[in-house]
Amino acid sequence: MPSDPSHRSSSSPSHPSPRPGRDSRPDTTPAPDPQPTPGGYLGLLRNREFTGLYAGFTLTVAAGTLSGFALGTLVDAQTGSPFLTAVSMYGATFATVLGALTLMSVADAGHPRRTVVLLQLASLAGVAAQAVPGLPLAARFALLLLLGFFQSLGTGARLGLLSEVVPVSAYARARSLMNITSGGTAILGYATGAVLLRHTSPQTVFAVAACLTALGAAVVAATVREHSVRLTRRPGLRQTWRANAELFSHPRRRALLLALWIPNGLIVGCEALFISYDPGHAGTFLAAGAAGMLLGDLAVGRLLTAASRRRHALTLRLLLAAPFLLFALHPPAPVLAVAVFLAGAGFAATLPLQEQLLDLTPEAIRGQVQGVESAGRMTWQGLGAAIAGGLAQCVGPGPAIALAAAASLTVTLLTRRPRHPSGGPSL
């Protein structure tokens, strides 16, 4: 459910001049570098290119929410299997690791706008294919893997392009706004999907998702100009592996990636069992979680300083998992909806963690590192769904949700960075 928030604090423009590791050739469409953006979200929206990326991202999230909910409902109706239902909702995330290991270097390659649009069109083909009536489940799962591959590359390319569109001083604000919108869009998407599925078929919902995906590609193509070539070498397998080796060679970066990936993935596995746990209230639970994520990102990304975000990172990580333990007790649905809402706010823990990751990232591979982080987190969402679904097959959805939450808490405590003797924040 979470998108991929990331932050970086700096007062310097994002790319005032060519830097080592970046091609010094001019942009395909010459234009001045981004100017300092006025404070607040409205200041960001005055930037036409950011508004286009923002709108395209919002439409993509809406399409993904609708198609995931429709596929989960379809698989649950056909199989009655908690495992297959959970995997169908988040199965695309399994393929994101393939993108991270093979072609993620395209996130920092030339023509990022064209790359984003082409990958969006590839996703459109996959979503449209899901709307074919009578498509075998094996084909639907194969499409999920293909979509996950393209989505992982698209995420890295989009985030790399975002760093060209806004100055670094506004980057944290831009990512916060996009993540808040992701939560709000997910609320509307789950609510709309629930209503549509009561009156129409999953194939119709897939068709709506395909239209939204196409519109997202059109918006980006119409509003964003082409930007600079950021690599001196041709993107490909070798360049991807070289940058990944640099990323994982740093112990601090490795610890941050584990903290970002595993606890979040296990909690998404909890959410993947909502349909199996209570089909009648699954939409309510999913919307409650999205609402909590929206509120958490608003408070943490907009109201807190970078230092405050880091101080509260551990508290937010614990909040992410603890409320899900209630599912073992089977309380009334309203109580669980409140618990899921509170847990959703804990997803904002990704903001300070990603902020620290970007502080440790060389600019020349910024897009690829963000793409790898997002791909790894999404892959762990798929693994979390599979783990939780497998547990549900053995012990039932409620106990499985509680067990996955307990595992998330355990990993959070194990990956906690010891507090600095001077009183500095833990991880």
Side-chain angles (χ1 to χ4, degrees):
M1 183 179 67
S3 61
D4 37 11
S6 65
H7 295 270
R8 177 185 171 96
S9 298
S10 173
S11 58
S12 62
S14 61
H15 55 289
S17 61
R19 291 176 171 82
R22 295 175 64 175
D23 197 314
S24 59
R25 288 174 289 174
D27 293 352
T28 303
T29 306
D33 293 331
Q35 299 299 314
T37 303
Y41 293 140
L42 290 179
L44 283 168
L45 294 174
R46 295 190 185 102
N47 180 329
R48 180 173 181 267
E49 288 188 286
F50 170 76
T51 301
L53 274 180
Y54 170 72
F57 167 77
T58 303
L59 290 165
T60 300
V61 171
T65 301
L66 286 174
S67 61
F69 196 38
L71 184 58
T73 302
L74 187 151
V75 172
D76 182 64
Q78 290 188 7
T79 68
S81 168
F83 174 78
L84 291 178
T85 300
V87 171
S88 69
M89 291 186 69
Y90 296 98
T93 61
F94 285 116
T96 58
V97 69
L98 181 60
L101 292 175
T102 57
L103 297 178
M104 189 57 75
S105 56
V106 302
D108 292 301
H111 309 294
R113 168 186 170 273
R114 183 175 65 185
T115 301
V116 170
V117 172
L118 290 176
L119 290 170
Q120 186 86 346
L121 292 176
S123 296
L124 168 62
V127 175
Q130 291 282 18
V132 176
L135 194 67
L137 286 183
R140 294 192 184 279
F141 280 102
L143 283 171
L144 275 182
L145 295 177
L146 188 64
L147 282 171
F149 178 77
F150 288 126
Q151 287 170 359
S152 68
L153 302 180
T155 296
R158 184 185 296 112
L159 296 181
L161 184 55
L162 178 63
S163 68
E164 299 278 344
V165 166
V166 301
V168 171
S169 58
Y171 191 78
R173 221 178 324 136
R175 294 305 306 277
S176 173
L177 177 58
M178 293 174 76
N179 205 46
I180 290 167
T181 303
S182 174
T185 303
I187 295 171
L188 295 175
Y190 288 128
T192 302
V195 171
L196 289 175
L197 288 170
R198 289 187 179 183
H199 301 284
T200 187
S201 67
Q203 282 71 28
T204 301
V205 179
F206 285 130
V208 173
C211 292
L212 293 175
T213 303
L215 184 58
V219 168
V220 172
T223 58
V224 181
R225 68 181 177 88
E226 194 58 272
H227 281 261
S228 62
V229 176
R230 297 193 288 277
L231 284 178
T232 58
R233 296 182 176 90
R234 180 182 297 275
L237 185 62
R238 180 178 299 178
Q239 181 64 28
T240 298
W241 284 4
R242 181 181 293 112
N244 284 348
E246 180 179 349
L247 170 63
F248 287 101
S249 66
H250 194 293
R252 182 80 175 109
R253 286 197 291 255
R254 287 200 304 268
L256 284 167
L257 289 173
L258 289 176
L260 280 160
W261 291 347
I262 302 177
N264 283 27
L266 290 169
I267 295 307
V268 170
C270 295
E271 295 176 340
L273 293 178
F274 285 164
I275 292 177
S276 300
Y277 178 84
D278 187 348
H281 292 97
T284 300
F285 294 156
L286 289 167
M293 187 176 69
L294 186 155
L295 179 63
D297 285 316
L298 176 61
V300 175
R302 184 70 178 95
L303 304 180
L304 298 184
T305 64
S308 296
R309 287 194 290 268
R310 295 194 183 194
R311 283 198 302 271
H312 292 93
L314 179 62
T315 300
L316 289 167
R317 294 171 66 197
L318 296 174
L319 178 64
L320 174 65
F324 281 97
L325 298 175
L326 286 175
F327 277 83
L329 304 177
H330 299 284
V335 174
L336 291 177
V338 172
V340 172
F341 172 83
L342 294 174
F347 277 116
T350 59
L351 301 176
L353 297 182
Q354 288 186 333
E355 195 168 36
Q356 295 175 59
L357 179 63
L358 288 180
D359 284 342
L360 298 172
T361 299
E363 182 184 2
I365 58 171
R366 182 187 297 166
Q368 179 172 342
V369 168
Q370 292 178 92
V372 168
E373 186 280 319
S374 175
R377 186 156 34 85
M378 293 177 67
T379 298
W380 263 99
Q381 290 174 14
L383 290 173
I387 291 169
L391 287 172
Q393 293 283 145
C394 300
V395 301
I401 290 174
L403 287 172
S408 178
L409 286 171
T410 301
V411 173
T412 290
L413 294 173
L414 290 175
T415 58
R416 178 187 181 186
R417 186 184 186 188
R419 184 171 291 275
H420 193 275
S422 64
S426 57
L427 183 66

